[in-house]
């Protein structure tokens, strides 16, 4: 029997390296088989068994706490309480400098003042750093601990205090930056109410959502938010679904329509039958997938992780060589070069580099989620922007997905109602998207077809349907060189002909209107440098007319489902391809493309099928997604480059002996601030 997996929310992460240390500590608990920290979502998933006390002990070095989602949220701490150690340490540091000025130099009192500053601001760092050293584990706190102790040993107490205070400020900055980036995702968790008003024989009762069961009837008054997913049993209203779909305009809803947890009832009184448990609502799935997305590391994150793995030990070796080679080989001053070695340790602290990628990924994914675009991982976020071609399925993607009959005609002496009736009888057994349009048209003409008996019904994907009625074989399918179809097809209509024993007896022309947003979306994608392609089962004339209207670059027409897959592979021969479809009929093509994007409408299918889901079922969200990806790539590359260049420049100051602990720590905190602010710009991308 496999050990159970449990997930805990963690409060207090200050940096990615600390999260890794915490993960290792939890893995070392005897009863734990495996542990995986999701730094972006502030969670840990544990396979095995561990108590809350054991988990918090593993994170004691960082004062980490397990957050119980069922307990009330702790009150927000005041700024002073949250940063009291840093503030008090900073005050003692400033006092020390004031005493140096007053006394015209350093004495025992000033040294004691700086020591107090170091202890208050750095005791937690020292505890972790010394513990790491005992286990030969080298991270940022290890580097800082060695640097501060070394500075104290050579009498540089003022600079040791400055290093401690500024490093503490840097950690607070990292924590604040990540909290700000996570806020857009955590806000999703607060959208749906924790209670629901349920109709019972004894009257209406307010229950915790955990106690609400499938089949219960929720009472939703105007202005209320929905707590659970369900189907409206009675009432009509307009519902703001922005939390799920990103759509700004309210959607009209009435009896029989699906509604989602976290959406806002704007006008009517509703009775809603609950269809999903609290943990299975669409909103809950979105939150889960968005949090998991942060764990799907982007290629840039893999680079940073691998680089940092070797970078920190290399910096320690470099610092040692800087400290000992000049005095040993050239007779230089030990004090001078030990000081330079300590400065190398400080400047080598990889804070900015480590935070450069996760803060950008979390900011971008959080922003997208709040706009109704679900991106399932950093790797997908990167790849969208790298795709040179975006391929579209036609039906339900570029079009509205609600085809209707525009023209119907019969041939020979065949009666109009008779041809309509047998056509509807055949299509009633079909699941093809166009079948519903023929049934709707037939019913609008008040033609009865339910009594017609069909034998030997067959449906061949991409070809059509056949069946036997009164010993005659009837079929509905593509026109295949039927001249009368040309005029309709040149207007972008799909033509189907009805045959009796291979003789044409009727023709339907059907149109699926283009989405209003399709043309504008295609134009924006072209301006971004993307090529576009359309994959459709329609004939070349119909497909060409639609592509011409939208300005699509390449058309693949007359495709069977397996042909769509081949078309994607063909385009992938020399560049990456993104495929946009409805998440159902296009599953093979979506899976084969480098990135599969599903049109959503808040459905489970869209959530589960593709790498990205446009929850609003609106293609206008696509240019925003591509733009967000491209900007994320640029910001990640800029952050990594800037972090490394700043380190390199500071390290080059060692050659003339100009590097000081002041410059070292200021370059680190400056780089951290800049990459954090740069990454957080992705929270503000709007289009």
């Amino acid at each position: 029997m496999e050990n159970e997996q449990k997930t805990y929310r963690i409060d207090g992460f200050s940096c990615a390296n600390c999260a890794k240390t915490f993960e290792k500590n939890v893995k070392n608990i005897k009863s734990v088989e495996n542990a995986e920290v999701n730094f972006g979502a502030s969670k840990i998933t544990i396979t095995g068994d561990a108590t809350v006390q054991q988990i918090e002990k593993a994170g004691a070095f960082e004062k980490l706490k397990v957050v119980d989602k069922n307990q009330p949220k702790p009150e927000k701490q005041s700024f002073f309480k949250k940063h009291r150690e840093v503030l008090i340490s900073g005050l003692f540091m400033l006092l020390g400098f004031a005493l140096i000025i007053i006394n015209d130099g350093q004495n025992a009192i000033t040294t004691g003042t700086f020591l107090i500053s170091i202890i208050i601001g750095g005791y937690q760092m020292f505890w972790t750093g010394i513990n790491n050293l005992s286990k030969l584990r080298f991270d940022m706190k290890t580097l800082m601990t060695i640097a501060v102790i070394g500075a104290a040993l050579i009498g540089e107490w003022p600079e040791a205090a400055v290093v401690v205070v500024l490093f503490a400020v840097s950690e607070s900055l990292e924590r604040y930056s990540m909290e700000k980036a996570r806020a857009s995702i955590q806000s999703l968790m607060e959208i749906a109410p924790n209670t629901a008003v349920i109709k019972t024989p004894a009257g209406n009762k307010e229950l915790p959502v955990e106690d609400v069961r499938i089949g219960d009837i929720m009472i939703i008054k105007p202005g209320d938010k929905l707590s659970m997913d369900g189907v409206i049993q009675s009432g009509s209203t307009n519902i703001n679904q922005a939390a799920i779909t990103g759509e700004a305009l309210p959607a009209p809803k009435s009896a029989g329509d699906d509604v989602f947890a976290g959406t806002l009832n704007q006008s009517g009184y509703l009775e809603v039958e609950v269809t999903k448990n609290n943990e299975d609502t669409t909103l809950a799935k979105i939150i889960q997938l968005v949090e998991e997305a942060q764990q799907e590391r982007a290629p840039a994150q893999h680079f940073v992780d691998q680089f940092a793995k070797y970078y920190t030990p290399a910096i320690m070796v470099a610092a040692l060589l800087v400290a000992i080679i000049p005095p040993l080989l050239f007779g230089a001053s030990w004090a001078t070069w030990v000081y330079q070695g300590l400065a190398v340790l400080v400047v080598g602290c990889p804070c900015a580099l480590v935070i450069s990628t996760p803060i950008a990924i979390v900011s971008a994914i959080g922003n997208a989620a709040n706009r109704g675009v679900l991106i399932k991982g950093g790797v997908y976020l990167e790849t969208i922007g790298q795709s040179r071609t975006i391929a579209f399925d036609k039906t339900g993607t570029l079009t509205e997905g609600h085809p209707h009959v525009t023209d119907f005609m019969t041939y020979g002496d065949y009666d109009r109602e008779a041809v309509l009736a047998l056509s509807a009888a055949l299509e009633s057994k079909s699941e093809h998207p166009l079948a519903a349009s023929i049934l709707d048209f037939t019913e609008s003409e008040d033609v009865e077809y339910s009594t017609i008996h069909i034998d030997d019904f067959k449906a061949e994907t991409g070809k059509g349907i056949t069946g036997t009625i009164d010993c005659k074989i009837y079929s509905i399918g593509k026109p295949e060189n039927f001249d009368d179809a040309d005029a309709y097809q040149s207007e972008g209509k799909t033509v189907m002909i009805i045959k009796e024993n291979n003789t044409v007896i009727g023709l339907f022309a059907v149109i699926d209107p283009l989405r209003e947003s399709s043309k504008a979306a295609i134009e924006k994608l072209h301006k971004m440098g993307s090529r576009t392609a359309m994959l459709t089962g329609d004939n070349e004339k119909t497909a060409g007319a639609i592509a011409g209207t939208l300005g699509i670059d390449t058309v693949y027409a007359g495709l069977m489902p397996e042909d769509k897959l081949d078309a994607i592979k063909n385009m992938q021969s020399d560049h990456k391809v993104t495929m946009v479809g409805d998440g159902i009929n296009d599953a093979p093509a979506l899976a084969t493309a480098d990135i599969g994007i599903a049109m959503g409408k808040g459905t489970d299918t869209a959530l589960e099928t593709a790498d990205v889901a446009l929850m609003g079922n609106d293609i206008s969200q696509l240019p925003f997604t591509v733009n967000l990806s491209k900007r994320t790539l640029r910001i990640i590359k800029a952050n990594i480059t800037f972090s490394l260049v700043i380190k390199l420049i500071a390290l080059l100051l060692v050659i003339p002996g100009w590097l000081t602990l002041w410059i070292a720590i200021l370059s680190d905190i400056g780089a951290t601030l800049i990459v954090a602010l740069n990454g957080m710009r992705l929270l503000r991308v709007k289009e």
Side-chain angles (χ1 to χ4, degrees), residues 482-542:
F482 189 64
D483 292 341
D484 287 5
D486 291 350
Y488 298 114
Q489 290 171 341
S490 63
E491 295 174 359
K493 297 176 181 178
T494 299
V495 175
M496 295 178 286
I497 58 172
I498 307 99
K499 291 182 179 180
E500 179 188 272
N501 294 331
N502 290 322
T503 300
V504 176
I505 63 172
L507 175 150
F508 287 100
V510 177
I511 193 164
D512 186 0
L514 292 172
R515 292 179 184 272
E516 290 182 9
S517 55
S518 292
K519 187 174 177 62
I522 298 296
E523 287 175 354
K524 286 181 181 178
L525 290 172
H526 285 159
K527 286 178 182 177
M528 292 178 190
S530 297
R531 287 187 56 79
T532 54
M534 183 173 76
L535 313 182
T536 178
D538 259 333
N539 67 85
E540 289 186 9
K541 287 186 179 177
T542 302

Side-chain angles (χ1 to χ4, degrees), residues 27-165:
K27 283 180 179 177
N28 289 334
I29 298 172
K30 287 184 179 179
S31 54
V32 171
E33 229 176 74
N34 191 32
E36 195 168 359
V37 166
N38 183 333
F39 175 58
S42 288
K43 291 165 64 175
I44 184 169
T45 299
I46 295 173
T47 305
D49 189 30
T51 65
V52 169
Q53 290 75 17
Q54 286 176 309
I55 296 168
E56 291 186 342
K57 185 179 178 182
F61 70 96
E62 189 74 353
K63 294 184 178 177
L64 301 180
K65 295 292 179 185
V66 173
V67 180
D68 186 344
K69 66 178 181 180
N70 296 317
Q71 294 297 321
K73 286 190 173 181
E75 291 183 14
K76 286 190 175 181
Q77 294 180 322
S78 66
F79 179 83
F80 176 78
K81 192 171 182 182
K82 200 170 185 179
H83 302 284
R84 59 183 179 274
E85 289 92 348
V86 182
L87 293 171
I88 295 170
S89 177
L91 286 173
F92 273 98
M93 178 193 72
L94 293 174
L95 178 60
F97 281 109
L99 290 173
I100 287 177
I101 295 169
I102 292 168
N103 297 325
D104 195 24
Q106 195 170 326
N107 57 30
I109 295 175
T110 56
T111 299
T113 305
F114 285 123
L115 180 59
I116 293 171
S117 171
I118 291 167
I119 291 171
I120 292 173
Y123 73 92
Q124 193 174 320
M125 177 185 76
F126 297 140
W127 189 90
T128 305
I130 291 168
N131 187 46
N132 286 346
L133 272 175
S134 68
K135 297 175 181 176
L136 296 178
R137 185 186 295 155
F138 304 109
D139 63 9
M140 290 178 278
K141 291 187 177 179
T142 311
L143 297 182
M144 292 298 105
T145 299
I146 295 170
V148 171
I149 292 172
L153 289 175
I154 62 174
E156 296 290 346
W157 292 98
E159 298 202 28
V162 169
V163 168
V164 166
V165 171

Side-chain angles (χ1 to χ4, degrees), residues 251-308:
K253 298 281 184 178
S254 56
D257 288 338
D258 292 326
V259 287
F260 306 108
T263 57
L264 177 66
N265 176 27
Q266 291 194 328
S267 51
Y269 173 89
L270 303 177
E271 292 189 2
V272 176
E273 181 182 346
V274 175
T275 55
K276 293 180 183 176
N277 291 321
N278 178 50
E279 62 272 16
D280 298 323
T281 65
T282 301
L283 179 62
K285 285 188 176 181
I286 289 173
I287 293 168
Q288 179 189 349
L289 289 168
V290 169
E291 290 187 334
E292 288 173 356
Q294 297 166 62
Q295 215 159 353
E296 290 288 331
R297 299 191 173 188
Q301 183 68 44
H302 282 293
F303 163 76
V304 169
D305 290 346
Q306 289 302 309
F307 185 85

Side-chain angles (χ1 to χ4, degrees), residues 423-442:
S423 298
L426 282 168
E427 292 290 9
S428 67
K429 295 183 177 297
S430 170
E431 294 182 357
H432 193 278
L434 297 179
S437 65
I438 292 177
L439 294 175
D440 290 343
F441 181 74
T442 304

Side-chain angles (χ1 to χ4, degrees), residues 440-515:
D440 290 343
F441 181 74
T442 304
E443 288 166 4
S444 72
E445 297 274 315
D446 292 324
V447 174
E448 174 60 42
Y449 61 87
S450 59
T451 57
I452 298 175
H453 179 72
I454 299 172
D455 294 314
D456 302 324
F457 177 83
K458 290 180 183 176
E460 293 186 61
T461 304
K463 293 184 179 179
I465 56 176
T466 60
T468 302
I469 302 173
D470 295 332
C471 300
K472 295 178 182 178
I473 298 174
Y474 292 90
S475 64
I476 303 177
K478 295 179 178 180
E480 295 177 2
N481 302 319
F482 189 64
D483 292 341
D484 287 5
D486 291 350
Y488 298 114
Q489 290 171 341
S490 63
E491 295 174 359
K493 297 176 181 178
T494 299
V495 175
M496 295 178 286
I497 58 172
I498 307 99
K499 291 182 179 180
E500 179 188 272
N501 294 331
N502 290 322
T503 300
V504 176
I505 63 172
L507 175 150
F508 287 100
V510 177
I511 193 164
D512 186 0
L514 292 172
R515 292 179 184 272

